[in-house]
Amino acid sequence: MGQTHRATVTAVTLLALLPLTLAGCGLGGDDTAGGPATEANRAPADEAAAKSRERVQAYLDAMAAKDADAGRSQLCAPLQARFDADATGPNGDFADHFTVPQATITDVRSGPHGQEVSTAVTVAVGSRKATRALLFTVTRSGADWCITGEAPGGNSPEPAVTP
C-alpha cells in the first residue's frame, strides 16, 4: 500500500507543477487580450506600419520628383486607372504648375480600412506656399502593400508611449 500511496503523491505533485513549468516555457502564460503585447503579436503590426510608411514615402518622393510612373506603382490596381486621368490634371498630385518642396509623414496607425498614414505636404506655386494634410490608406494586396486611398485630412500624431 505504501508504494501505491507514494506513486499517487508523485503523480499529484507532477500535475500540480505542470502549469508552472509550461508557463515558464511560454505555454499557458497570461497572453490575455488586455495584457502587454508579445513579440509575436507586435511583429505583424510593426510590419504593416513599416510597409505602409514605405509605400507612402515612395509616393511622396515620386510627387516631389514629378515621376508619375513611380507614383502609379505605389497604388493598388483599381486606383491606377483613375490616377492616370487625374494625377497630371490641374489639381492632380503631379500637376506641372506646382512643386512639392516638403512632404512629411506625421503619423501611421491602424484604421478601419487598413493602415492610415497621415502626411503634411507643402505645395508651392511661384512664391506662394501652402501646407495641406493628406491621409493615405494602405492595405496588403497579396504579398505586397499598396495605397488604396488618398483624402484631405489626417490623424494627429499619437503621443509617444514611454515604458
Side-chain angles (χ1 to χ4, degrees):
M1 198 63 142
Q3 190 91 355
T4 305
H5 179 65
R6 191 177 318 153
T8 302
V9 170
T10 302
V12 169
T13 303
L14 288 174
L15 287 174
L17 293 175
L18 184 62
L20 296 174
T21 304
L22 292 176
C25 295
L27 299 173
D30 65 1
D31 290 341
T32 60
T38 63
E39 189 67 35
N41 293 338
R42 259 193 319 267
D46 290 345
E47 177 192 10
K51 293 294 184 178
S52 298
R53 179 180 287 277
E54 287 173 17
R55 283 295 178 182
V56 171
Q57 187 61 56
Y59 186 85
L60 296 174
D61 293 346
M63 198 167 37
K66 299 288 186 218
D67 186 347
D69 290 336
R72 182 185 313 102
S73 71
Q74 304 311 312
L75 304 175
C76 293
L79 287 183
Q80 290 179 355
R82 193 173 80 201
F83 173 87
D84 291 337
D86 296 340
T88 57
N91 295 318
D93 290 345
F94 293 81
D96 287 332
H97 66 279
F98 68 81
T99 60
V100 179
Q102 184 175 9
T104 307
I105 294 174
T106 58
D107 186 66
V108 180
R109 67 177 71 174
S110 184
H113 303 290
Q115 293 293 308
E116 295 179 346
V117 181
S118 301
T119 64
V121 179
T122 302
V123 177
V125 178
S127 62
R128 293 181 22 207
K129 290 183 181 180
T131 300
R132 299 288 182 251
L134 290 176
L135 180 66
F136 291 89
T137 303
V138 182
T139 60
R140 188 175 208 140
S141 177
D144 209 357
W145 293 81
C146 58
I147 296 172
T148 58
E150 173 187 346
N155 297 316
S156 298
E158 289 185 337
V161 178
T162 55

